[in-house]
Amino acid sequence: AQSVSQHNHHVILSEAASLELGCNYSYGGTVNLFWYVQYPGQHLQLLLKYFSGDPLVKGIKGFEAEFIKSKFSFNLRKPSVQWSDTAEYFCAVYGGATNKLIFGTGTLLAVQP
Amino acid sequence: NAGVTQTPKFRVLKTGQSMTLLCAQDMNHEYMYWYRQDPGMGLRLIHYSVGEGTTAKGEVPDGYNVSRLKKQNFLLGLESAAPSQTSVYFCASSLSAYNEQFFGPGTRLTVL
């Protein structure tokens, strides 16, 4: 069955530190890839998405992600985090026979001022 | 545009009671979804709909029913609530299966 793995369950960083959150998926065919963010007490919002083209995708709030097909990965990055980036981050993948978006279990990011 | 709205925002039920959660979207999306979010488990799909009058089971459908009588509305029903259904419920909609999903603000349900 298709699966999406986010190996970092809880990440704690200081402000201005660099961020990289891992996302790996199991499906080998064509995929659409998403990163969502959920700020405390709020609903999920789209950070960025990849359908095709340049594998380095820029999103909102200074986030970017790189699609590496050979590694089945779509890692999220930000060069310098802020306290306001404290949130839970979800990777999601569409592809294959399920015809549905599959979410990872999320990574909780806490940024300390 | 309001996007995706959900009612109610909070609800407390006793075991065995029933309730319906309402989701509405004003983006003319064909696809609508109901998820539950539990700590450490991410989002799990309960049921979804690919158009008016259609529904399908997701990953965790047991104990829930849904209806999509109008394109803009997607109802989630709990016929006999159980403590295991204590969760935060999110509705979402999208143009198609592979497009971005837009989420509602969520309903926090507690079953005592």
Side-chain angles (χ1 to χ4, degrees):
Chain A
Q2 284 174 246
S3 64
V4 179
S5 298
Q6 292 182 244
H7 303 293
N8 312 106
H9 298 294
H10 199 176
V11 173
I12 301 173
L13 294 174
S14 299
E15 275 194 314
S18 63
L19 170 72
E20 181 160 2
L21 301 182
C23 174
N24 289 89
Y25 58 93
S26 61
Y27 178 63
T30 301
V31 290
N32 291 347
L33 301 159
F34 305 83
W35 274 99
Y36 285 86
V37 61
Q38 185 179 29
Y39 297 105
Q42 296 189 25
H43 62 284
L44 274 77
Q45 304 168 49
L46 184 71
L47 264 182
L48 48 79
K49 61 186 177 185
Y50 172 81
F51 283 12
S52 64
D54 188 344
L56 185 60
V57 182
K58 304 279 187 193
I60 60 171
K61 304 188 180 187
F63 285 91
E64 64 179 32
E66 185 175 13
F67 170 48
I68 304 180
K69 190 173 183 179
S70 61
K71 294 185 178 180
F72 302 94
S73 71
F74 190 54
N75 291 356
L76 182 71
R77 300 195 291 247
K78 186 171 184 179
S80 176
V81 294
Q82 300 172 320
W83 178 79
S84 58
D85 293 324
T86 293
E88 192 159 17
Y89 293 81
F90 292 92
C91 179
V93 179
Y94 173 86
T98 64
N99 200 35
K100 289 190 282 293
L101 198 58
I102 308 295
F103 284 86
T105 53
T107 297
L108 202 55
L109 171 66
V111 179
Q112 297 175 333
Chain B
N1 285 353
V4 180
T5 58
Q6 292 182 232
T7 52
K9 288 187 168 52
F10 303 93
R11 187 72 188 268
V12 178
L13 290 178
K14 294 181 180 178
T15 297
Q17 287 185 316
S18 64
M19 77 163 293
T20 300
L21 281 66
L22 171 64
C23 175
Q25 53 95 3
D26 61 2
M27 296 174 282
N28 202 33
H29 286 169
E30 290 293 337
Y31 285 65
M32 296 187 76
Y33 313 83
W34 275 107
Y35 293 92
R36 60 177 290 173
Q37 184 180 29
D38 302 289
M41 304 191 76
L43 286 164
R44 292 184 291 170
L45 183 64
I46 305 171
H47 286 281
Y48 65 101
S49 168
V50 301
E52 181 179 314
T54 75
T55 63
K57 293 180 180 179
E59 184 185 356
V60 288
D62 294 342
Y64 305 95
N65 56 75
V66 287
S67 64
R68 183 108 181 258
L69 299 179
K70 293 183 179 181
K71 186 176 184 179
Q72 62 267 35
N73 296 338
F74 195 31
L75 278 63
L76 178 71
L78 285 73
E79 290 185 350
S80 179
S84 60
Q85 293 177 304
T86 293
S87 187
V88 180
Y89 292 85
F90 286 100
C91 176
S93 71
S94 66
L95 271 174
S96 69
Y98 56 83
N99 282 116
E100 171 192 357
Q101 291 185 15
F102 292 81
F103 285 82
T107 296
R108 186 173 293 275
L109 174 67
T110 301
V111 182
L112 302 176

